[in-house]
Amino acid sequence: MNLSKSLSDIGPLSFPGMESGLPLVIAGPCSAESEQQTLETARALSAIGVKFYRAGIWKPRTMPGSFEGIGDEGLQWLQAVKRETGMMVATEVATVEHVRAALDAGIDILWIGARTTANPFAVQDIADQLQGHDEITVLVKNPVNPDLDLWLGALQRFSNAGITRLGAVHRGFSSAGAHIYRNDPLWHIPFELRRLASGMTLLCDPSHIGGKREYVEPLSQLAMDAGFDGLMIESHCNPAQALSDSAQQITPNELKSILDRLVIRSGAPIEDELALLRQQIDDCDHELLAVLARRMSISREIGRFKKANNLRIVQPARYQDVMNARVDEGSRLGLDADFTQRIMQAIHEDSVRQQLDIMNDN
Ligand code: PEP
Ligand code: MN
């Protein structure tokens, strides 16, 4: 028997009292830290009209020793939030034990974090544990690495387990090299997910993409313009004191200002071919700049080596070999030989200039 339902059949999430046409906003602190912080933040968010509250209680942190969450105790605080404000509550689950505890505590929405989505064994264990719980809402964040299939695969595992209240959250992708954002948005990946599962709720998490509070507003607007269905935003009553992700959290009042200024356009520009292609161009430019910055930093390293070893900066034979090889490689990739030559020359000139600076710097 094949229980699997295709992701293209998954419909949008709906909740009692949810106004259609408005973005679904889930807000709350990165982590529940104390009963007082959890409730104070929740009260302030409820007062500005937020209906869905998030707080991590088990935190998968990159480095051991950083705050790893308050654990099971935090479930009672989320229950108190629910009782007192009527908001629905959401938390991250990463193990079977988390799922059991969260279900027992009556948590409404479970989300799968980016590190967990990257691990199919963990996802399958969680999905097995949720089998039959068709009342629960599950949100699946994209995996840390830019692999659409891994994201789709995790969603499919929940769908196969009978979860129909399913949504996806775009939180950007880890990448090496210099980037403006903490996690590279690579918008074409969530756009492709939307194309393949066009009815499924797709949220954007501008907090984890941007990594800094000043990026939350522009990224939220961008997500709305791109046709995302809602936002998951980190908000803390005292961001400066937050035990995790302090730089990206905003106060409930700041969240209100951002939400008030958000322009919600009608239509679904995410399906607009031109917008999609332009976004891909932007992604390419970000990658190009990051690669150029990396190349220049290697050049400077070479400059320092040449200085230490009394070598000449420009070694003409090496230059000509590199240029010929690049023009050939470019031609094989369909690039015009003259264009490749001009680009490589410009890069080489700046690289020489930077090495000269190093030589002359005593
Ligand atoms: C979070 O939402 O606090 C979190 C840990 O997110 P992510 O899994 O996207 O890193
Ligand atoms: Mn966080």
Side-chain angles (χ1 to χ4, degrees):
M1 184 174 57
N2 182 11
L3 290 175
S4 86
K5 187 174 157 112
S6 156
L7 293 179
S8 59
D9 297 331
I10 300 280
L13 289 174
S14 70
F15 295 94
M18 196 172 118
E19 291 169 67
S20 71
L22 288 183
L24 173 70
V25 176
I26 304 176
C30 178
S31 307
E33 299 164 3
S34 68
E35 182 163 22
Q36 199 261 341
Q37 167 259 3
T38 304
L39 278 158
E40 185 182 333
T41 308
R43 288 184 194 119
L45 288 170
S46 178
I48 66 161
V50 171
K51 302 272 189 294
F52 303 92
Y53 186 74
R54 61 147 284 155
I57 57 181
W58 302 287
K59 303 297 298 178
R61 304 305 304 284
T62 303
M63 296 304 289
S66 39
F67 178 63
E68 292 183 320
I70 199 71
D72 291 33
E73 188 185 355
L75 290 169
Q76 294 161 35
W77 308 340
L78 289 180
Q79 287 174 321
V81 167
K82 209 172 149 167
R83 255 193 331 270
E84 208 186 289
T85 67
M87 285 192 283
M88 286 194 149
V89 291
T91 201
E92 172 173 351
V93 289
T95 68
V96 165
E97 290 74 25
H98 297 165
V99 173
R100 279 200 210 109
L103 289 176
D104 286 349
I107 303 299
D108 306 288
I109 301 171
L110 307 181
W111 85 79
I112 310 302
R115 292 159 192 77
T116 307
T117 306
N119 177 354
F121 288 126
V123 171
Q124 191 58 54
D125 283 348
I126 296 169
D128 290 344
Q129 190 65 29
L130 283 171
Q131 184 90 39
H133 284 275
D134 53 4
E135 78 289 358
I136 200 87
T137 300
V138 177
L139 299 176
V140 181
K141 289 194 166 198
N142 64 258
V144 277
N145 51 325
D147 184 337
L148 175 63
D149 285 344
L150 211 42
W151 198 3
L152 289 168
L155 286 158
Q156 189 68 60
R157 287 176 202 275
F158 289 105
S159 178
N160 291 356
I163 305 294
T164 53
R165 302 189 49 79
L166 202 51
V169 184
H170 172 224
R171 50 77 79 201
F173 302 90
S174 292
S175 67
H179 283 284
I180 311 168
Y181 299 130
R182 177 179 177 189
N183 288 297
D184 208 334
L186 303 177
W187 296 99
H188 58 282
I189 296 182
F191 289 0
E192 184 62 6
L193 179 109
R194 157 81 18 130
R195 198 180 65 76
L196 297 170
S198 56
M200 189 168 65
T201 295
L202 176 60
L203 307 180
C204 179
D205 173 345
S207 310
H208 287 92
I209 294 177
K212 291 207 180 84
R213 59 182 59 86
E214 60 265 35
Y215 295 139
V216 172
E217 177 159 10
L219 285 167
S220 298
Q221 186 60 58
L222 223 155
M224 290 299 99
D225 293 344
F228 279 74
D229 303 301
L231 301 164
M232 180 188 265
I233 298 182
E234 287 191 339
S235 176
H236 188 294
C237 56
N238 187 356
Q241 299 297 319
L243 298 182
S244 57
D245 289 351
S246 168
Q248 70 195 33
Q249 303 209 57
I250 55 175
T251 64
N253 277 339
E254 287 164 341
L255 176 64
K256 179 176 179 349
S257 307
I258 291 175
L259 294 177
D260 286 348
R261 284 192 291 262
L262 264 195
V263 181
I264 312 297
R265 300 175 220 281
S266 59
I270 201 164
E271 280 149 20
D272 180 325
E273 196 70 22
L274 187 59
L276 210 145
L277 291 170
R278 282 185 176 142
Q279 195 56 61
Q280 295 192 29
I281 290 279
D282 288 354
D283 285 347
C284 286
D285 286 351
H286 293 320
E287 274 175 53
L288 266 174
L289 292 173
V291 169
L292 281 175
R294 204 165 78 231
R295 192 187 192 283
M296 286 306 165
S297 109
I298 297 172
S299 279
R300 286 192 294 274
E301 192 62 41
I302 292 179
R304 283 187 281 274
F305 180 85
K306 286 179 180 166
K307 183 177 184 176
N309 293 282
N310 263 330
L311 294 171
R312 272 204 221 131
I313 290 185
V314 182
Q315 292 166 327
R318 153 95 184 143
Y319 172 70
Q320 207 44 58
D321 288 351
V322 169
M323 183 61 89
N324 294 342
R326 298 300 183 264
V327 169
D328 281 355
E329 188 178 343
S331 299
R332 282 197 300 279
L333 293 168
L335 294 175
D336 178 75
D338 186 46
F339 170 75
T340 310
Q341 181 133 10
R342 279 184 288 128
I343 298 270
M344 292 310 302
Q345 239 154 20
I347 294 173
H348 182 253
E349 273 166 29
D350 203 60
S351 158
V352 168
R353 183 187 63 74
Q354 300 214 25
Q355 293 192 17
L356 279 172
D357 281 354
I358 286 170
M359 288 286 190
N360 294 328
D361 189 12
N362 291 310

Short mmCIF file of all heavy atoms in Angstrom, two decimals, residues 8-37:
data_model
loop_
_atom_site.label_atom_id
_atom_site.label_comp_id
_atom_site.label_asym_id
_atom_site.label_seq_id
_atom_site.Cartn_x
_atom_site.Cartn_y
_atom_site.Cartn_z
N SER A 8 2.66 17.93 -4.06
CA SER A 8 1.88 18.90 -4.86
C SER A 8 0.41 18.89 -4.45
O SER A 8 -0.34 19.79 -4.81
CB SER A 8 2.04 18.62 -6.35
OG SER A 8 1.60 17.31 -6.61
N ASP A 9 0.00 17.87 -3.65
CA ASP A 9 -1.39 17.82 -3.17
C ASP A 9 -1.57 18.50 -1.81
O ASP A 9 -2.68 18.60 -1.31
CB ASP A 9 -1.87 16.37 -3.02
CG ASP A 9 -1.86 15.65 -4.35
OD1 ASP A 9 -2.03 16.32 -5.38
OD2 ASP A 9 -1.65 14.41 -4.35
N ILE A 10 -0.47 18.89 -1.17
CA ILE A 10 -0.59 19.49 0.17
C ILE A 10 -1.19 20.90 0.02
O ILE A 10 -0.73 21.71 -0.77
CB ILE A 10 0.80 19.59 0.84
CG1 ILE A 10 1.43 18.20 1.01
CG2 ILE A 10 0.73 20.34 2.17
CD1 ILE A 10 0.94 17.39 2.18
N GLY A 11 -2.21 21.16 0.81
CA GLY A 11 -2.88 22.46 0.73
C GLY A 11 -2.30 23.45 1.73
O GLY A 11 -1.46 23.09 2.55
N PRO A 12 -2.76 24.69 1.65
CA PRO A 12 -2.24 25.71 2.57
C PRO A 12 -2.70 25.45 4.02
O PRO A 12 -3.76 24.88 4.24
CB PRO A 12 -2.85 27.02 2.05
CG PRO A 12 -4.01 26.62 1.21
CD PRO A 12 -3.74 25.24 0.71
N LEU A 13 -1.90 25.90 4.98
CA LEU A 13 -2.27 25.77 6.39
C LEU A 13 -3.37 26.77 6.70
O LEU A 13 -3.32 27.91 6.24
CB LEU A 13 -1.07 26.09 7.27
CG LEU A 13 0.06 25.07 7.29
CD1 LEU A 13 1.23 25.62 8.11
CD2 LEU A 13 -0.43 23.75 7.90
N SER A 14 -4.35 26.32 7.46
CA SER A 14 -5.31 27.32 7.92
C SER A 14 -5.52 27.09 9.41
O SER A 14 -5.38 25.98 9.92
CB SER A 14 -6.62 27.21 7.14
OG SER A 14 -7.27 26.03 7.52
N PHE A 15 -5.78 28.18 10.11
CA PHE A 15 -5.99 28.11 11.55
C PHE A 15 -7.29 28.87 11.86
O PHE A 15 -7.63 29.81 11.13
CB PHE A 15 -4.82 28.79 12.28
CG PHE A 15 -3.51 28.09 12.09
CD1 PHE A 15 -2.63 28.49 11.08
CD2 PHE A 15 -3.14 27.03 12.92
CE1 PHE A 15 -1.42 27.83 10.89
CE2 PHE A 15 -1.92 26.38 12.74
CZ PHE A 15 -1.06 26.77 11.73
N PRO A 16 -7.98 28.48 12.92
CA PRO A 16 -9.23 29.17 13.25
C PRO A 16 -8.98 30.68 13.40
O PRO A 16 -7.99 31.08 14.01
CB PRO A 16 -9.63 28.56 14.60
CG PRO A 16 -8.81 27.34 14.77
CD PRO A 16 -7.62 27.44 13.88
N GLY A 17 -9.81 31.46 12.80
CA GLY A 17 -9.72 32.91 12.97
C GLY A 17 -8.65 33.58 12.13
O GLY A 17 -8.43 34.79 12.22
N MET A 18 -7.96 32.77 11.31
CA MET A 18 -6.89 33.36 10.50
C MET A 18 -7.48 34.18 9.36
O MET A 18 -8.36 33.72 8.66
CB MET A 18 -6.03 32.24 9.94
CG MET A 18 -4.70 32.68 9.44
SD MET A 18 -3.73 31.21 9.04
CE MET A 18 -3.52 31.46 7.29
N GLU A 19 -6.99 35.43 9.22
CA GLU A 19 -7.53 36.28 8.16
C GLU A 19 -6.84 35.96 6.84
O GLU A 19 -5.61 35.94 6.77
CB GLU A 19 -7.31 37.75 8.51
CG GLU A 19 -8.15 38.20 9.69
CD GLU A 19 -7.73 39.57 10.20
OE1 GLU A 19 -7.92 40.56 9.46
OE2 GLU A 19 -7.18 39.65 11.31
N SER A 20 -7.62 35.73 5.81
CA SER A 20 -7.00 35.36 4.54
C SER A 20 -6.40 36.61 3.89
O SER A 20 -6.87 37.72 4.10
CB SER A 20 -8.02 34.71 3.62
OG SER A 20 -8.93 35.67 3.18
N GLY A 21 -5.34 36.41 3.15
CA GLY A 21 -4.68 37.52 2.47
C GLY A 21 -3.60 38.18 3.33
O GLY A 21 -2.78 38.93 2.82
N LEU A 22 -3.62 37.91 4.64
CA LEU A 22 -2.58 38.49 5.50
C LEU A 22 -1.50 37.44 5.75
O LEU A 22 -1.79 36.25 5.82
CB LEU A 22 -3.17 38.93 6.84
CG LEU A 22 -4.06 40.17 6.81
CD1 LEU A 22 -4.50 40.53 8.22
CD2 LEU A 22 -3.30 41.35 6.17
N PRO A 23 -0.25 37.89 5.89
CA PRO A 23 0.80 36.89 6.13
C PRO A 23 0.62 36.21 7.49
O PRO A 23 0.17 36.84 8.45
CB PRO A 23 2.09 37.72 6.10
CG PRO A 23 1.68 39.14 6.31
CD PRO A 23 0.27 39.26 5.81
N LEU A 24 0.96 34.94 7.53
CA LEU A 24 0.97 34.20 8.79
C LEU A 24 2.25 34.60 9.52
O LEU A 24 3.35 34.41 8.99
CB LEU A 24 0.98 32.70 8.44
CG LEU A 24 1.16 31.69 9.56
CD1 LEU A 24 -0.08 31.67 10.43
CD2 LEU A 24 1.39 30.30 8.97
N VAL A 25 2.11 35.18 10.70
CA VAL A 25 3.31 35.64 11.42
C VAL A 25 3.52 34.81 12.68
O VAL A 25 2.64 34.75 13.54
CB VAL A 25 3.21 37.14 11.79
CG1 VAL A 25 4.42 37.57 12.62
CG2 VAL A 25 3.08 37.99 10.53
N ILE A 26 4.65 34.15 12.73
CA ILE A 26 5.04 33.40 13.94
C ILE A 26 6.21 34.16 14.55
O ILE A 26 7.21 34.40 13.86
CB ILE A 26 5.49 31.97 13.58
CG1 ILE A 26 4.39 31.24 12.79
CG2 ILE A 26 5.88 31.19 14.83
CD1 ILE A 26 4.79 29.84 12.31
N ALA A 27 6.05 34.60 15.79
CA ALA A 27 7.12 35.39 16.40
C ALA A 27 7.38 34.93 17.82
O ALA A 27 6.49 34.38 18.48
CB ALA A 27 6.77 36.87 16.37
N GLY A 28 8.58 35.19 18.27
CA GLY A 28 8.95 34.81 19.63
C GLY A 28 10.45 34.68 19.71
O GLY A 28 11.15 34.77 18.70
N PRO A 29 10.95 34.46 20.90
CA PRO A 29 12.40 34.45 21.07
C PRO A 29 13.06 33.24 20.42
O PRO A 29 12.42 32.21 20.23
CB PRO A 29 12.56 34.39 22.60
CG PRO A 29 11.31 33.74 23.08
CD PRO A 29 10.22 34.18 22.15
N CYS A 30 14.34 33.40 20.12
CA CYS A 30 15.10 32.25 19.64
C CYS A 30 14.93 31.15 20.68
O CYS A 30 14.54 30.04 20.34
CB CYS A 30 16.58 32.65 19.50
SG CYS A 30 17.62 31.30 18.96
N SER A 31 15.19 31.49 21.95
CA SER A 31 15.08 30.48 23.02
C SER A 31 14.21 30.98 24.16
O SER A 31 14.25 32.16 24.50
CB SER A 31 16.46 30.22 23.63
OG SER A 31 17.40 29.89 22.64
N ALA A 32 13.47 30.05 24.74
CA ALA A 32 12.83 30.33 26.03
C ALA A 32 13.96 30.26 27.06
O ALA A 32 14.64 29.25 27.16
CB ALA A 32 11.76 29.29 26.32
N GLU A 33 14.16 31.35 27.79
CA GLU A 33 15.31 31.40 28.71
C GLU A 33 14.87 31.31 30.17
O GLU A 33 15.56 30.73 31.00
CB GLU A 33 16.08 32.70 28.48
CG GLU A 33 16.63 32.79 27.05
CD GLU A 33 17.06 34.20 26.66
OE1 GLU A 33 16.98 35.11 27.51
OE2 GLU A 33 17.45 34.38 25.49
N SER A 34 13.76 31.95 30.48
CA SER A 34 13.22 31.91 31.84
C SER A 34 11.72 32.08 31.69
O SER A 34 11.23 32.51 30.64
CB SER A 34 13.78 33.06 32.68
OG SER A 34 13.27 34.30 32.18
N GLU A 35 10.99 31.74 32.74
CA GLU A 35 9.54 31.88 32.69
C GLU A 35 9.18 33.34 32.46
O GLU A 35 8.31 33.68 31.65
CB GLU A 35 8.93 31.37 34.00
CG GLU A 35 7.41 31.45 33.98
CD GLU A 35 6.77 30.60 35.06
OE1 GLU A 35 7.47 30.29 36.05
OE2 GLU A 35 5.59 30.26 34.90
N GLN A 36 9.93 34.21 33.14
CA GLN A 36 9.64 35.64 33.06
C GLN A 36 9.86 36.17 31.63
O GLN A 36 9.00 36.84 31.06
CB GLN A 36 10.55 36.35 34.08
CG GLN A 36 10.11 37.74 34.46
CD GLN A 36 10.87 38.80 33.68
OE1 GLN A 36 11.93 38.51 33.16
NE2 GLN A 36 10.32 39.99 33.59
N GLN A 37 11.00 35.82 31.03
CA GLN A 37 11.29 36.29 29.65
C GLN A 37 10.30 35.70 28.65
O GLN A 37 9.84 36.37 27.74
CB GLN A 37 12.74 35.91 29.30
CG GLN A 37 13.14 36.04 27.84
CD GLN A 37 13.15 34.69 27.11
OE1 GLN A 37 12.80 33.66 27.68
NE2 GLN A 37 13.54 34.71 25.85
#
